[in-house]
Amino acid sequence: MFFDYHMHSHFSADSQMNMEEIIETAIKIGLDEIAITDHHDIDYKDDSIEFIIDKNEYLTALEKMQNKYKDKIEIKKGIELGVQLHIFDQCNRYLADDFDFVIASFHTAEKKDLYNGDFFEEYSQWEAYLQYLKTVYAVVKDYENYNVIGHLDIIRDYGNYDHKPDLMENKEASEIIAEILKQIIKKDKGIEVNTSGYRIDGENPMPSFRILKLYKELGGEILTIGSDSHSTDRIAQRLSSTSQKLKEIGFDKLSTFTNMKPQFHKIEDFAPKK
Ligand SMILES: [Zn+2]
Ligand SMILES: [Zn+2]
């Protein structure tokens, strides 16, 4: 079983790919299954871009693709939901059990945008990282309507810093990360391995292998893998080599989802269909 569980079609404001292009490319690469996970960010703080999806239009388009390609590839109704502490009810109302797979992601913290740098203005680098992690902890403690936390250490990618250390290098940060992972595990949720993360230091997906190792040690089992592709050349990128590293860390399976329920697949079978 070979799958890519994080990809963006033109329903996301930052992607130009249409669903057919994604699917045709995925079939060519030898993927058995994909989850299209477009952005829905309620109360996003950067007014210059809108990450809101008309759900009916989106689901209708996905169903059309599922039908058209049903003999060639399994397509799941996914979404990448931007979570913030003050929008839990709105997130729940929006999702309404209509999706197979929900990635909960942090693109915002403390009502400030991470990407455009607003969040970093008041803080030193490590202060910002710690505040971000505290926000993630507050969310995973109380919010449950998701399957995996997206790109858990994405804060490393933002802010205008030359050095982007692994969050595990800082004792306080590593302690908060452990508490975040414990909450996730206790609630039968998971994390994703996001292979776009190699852009940060060349050696790690998001989250870093050190965090993934800790997740494994704490008993974490639910793990999805995705490219976070916004263009066809990125689809399935570095999925195979990353799965090898995950195997070395001790993971023996990866997950897919149907109606928000995980299915587990042997990591040794994770390879393109011949
Ligand atoms: Zn994201
Ligand atoms: Zn994404």
Side-chain angles (χ1 to χ4, degrees):
M1 261 296 267
F2 195 46
F3 39 91
D4 188 337
Y5 253 55
H6 194 148
M7 38 207 349
H8 294 276
S9 81
H10 72 272
F11 278 90
S12 296
D14 57 354
S15 171
Q16 304 301 322
M17 287 192 286
N18 66 46
M19 286 185 184
E20 301 228 33
E21 273 178 288
I22 294 177
I23 296 159
E24 296 284 352
T25 307
I27 293 167
K28 247 182 253 160
I29 290 171
L31 286 155
D32 297 279
E33 180 168 330
I34 57 170
I36 295 181
T37 53
D38 278 309
H39 285 295
H40 189 69
D41 260 86
I42 298 163
D43 200 23
Y44 189 60
K45 294 302 173 188
D46 183 345
D47 293 333
S48 66
I49 190 160
E50 177 88 325
F51 287 114
I52 292 293
I53 304 176
D54 181 317
K55 186 170 80 171
N56 287 334
E57 249 179 65
Y58 180 55
L59 292 175
T60 304
L62 281 168
E63 281 159 19
K64 203 172 140 197
M65 293 298 113
Q66 286 175 327
N67 279 326
K68 181 167 176 189
Y69 291 97
K70 63 174 181 291
D71 298 327
K72 290 185 173 160
I73 190 167
E74 178 91 15
I75 301 162
K76 289 294 168 55
K77 292 176 190 167
I79 192 142
E80 181 177 10
L81 182 72
V83 280
Q84 302 186 60
L85 280 164
H86 66 290
I87 58 169
F88 292 173
D89 288 344
Q90 290 169 74
C91 289
N92 288 334
R93 274 200 300 277
Y94 183 82
L95 295 173
D97 299 325
D98 287 334
F99 293 90
D100 287 307
F101 176 60
V102 178
I103 302 173
S105 286
F106 295 83
H107 301 120
T108 304
E110 300 180 330
K111 298 190 181 178
K112 287 187 178 141
D113 189 45
L114 303 179
Y115 179 77
N116 74 10
D118 285 353
F119 175 70
F120 294 87
E121 271 171 22
E122 315 266 308
Y123 298 123
S124 69
Q125 184 172 9
W126 275 109
E127 278 170 359
Y129 290 0
L130 291 169
Q131 283 308 120
Y132 164 81
L133 288 171
K134 285 175 190 167
T135 302
V136 176
Y137 178 75
V139 169
V140 296
K141 197 166 102 4
D142 290 328
Y143 185 69
E144 307 215 344
N145 209 347
Y146 70 95
N147 303 117
V148 297
I149 294 293
H151 44 60
L152 179 61
D153 60 357
I154 194 162
I155 195 74
R156 298 176 70 214
D157 197 26
Y158 299 140
N160 211 359
Y161 308 114
D162 292 333
H163 181 52
K164 297 169 185 279
D166 192 306
L167 300 185
M168 295 293 285
E169 282 176 24
N170 178 287
K171 188 165 178 288
E172 194 180 348
S174 69
E175 285 165 1
I176 304 171
I177 290 167
E179 293 310 310
I180 291 168
L181 295 175
K182 284 182 201 165
Q183 286 291 329
I184 290 171
I185 294 163
K186 188 171 96 183
K187 294 183 167 155
D188 293 323
K189 306 295 177 193
I191 58 176
E192 73 153 355
V193 183
N194 185 310
T195 60
S196 80
Y198 288 100
R199 67 177 180 248
I200 303 173
D201 65 14
E203 289 172 13
N204 286 279
M206 288 183 284
S208 70
F209 286 118
R210 279 176 77 174
I211 294 176
L212 287 160
K213 201 156 173 274
L214 178 62
Y215 179 61
K216 179 68 198 167
E217 284 163 9
L218 292 170
E221 300 215 309
I222 298 175
L223 198 62
T224 61
I225 189 163
S227 62
D228 206 349
S229 43
H230 292 69
S231 58
T232 51
D233 58 318
R234 295 294 173 99
I235 292 173
Q237 201 179 46
R238 299 186 80 157
L239 296 192
S240 295
S241 57
T242 303
S243 75
Q244 284 303 316
K245 288 275 287 190
L246 293 170
K247 215 167 119 187
E248 284 163 30
I249 288 173
F251 289 101
D252 55 6
K253 46 193 191 267
L254 292 169
S255 303
T256 59
F257 280 83
T258 306
N259 294 326
M260 308 287 283
K261 299 267 184 307
Q263 285 91 45
F264 296 97
H265 309 276
K266 281 190 199 152
I267 210 165
E268 65 208 51
D269 298 335
F270 188 74
K273 175 155 77 170
K274 299 248 159 60

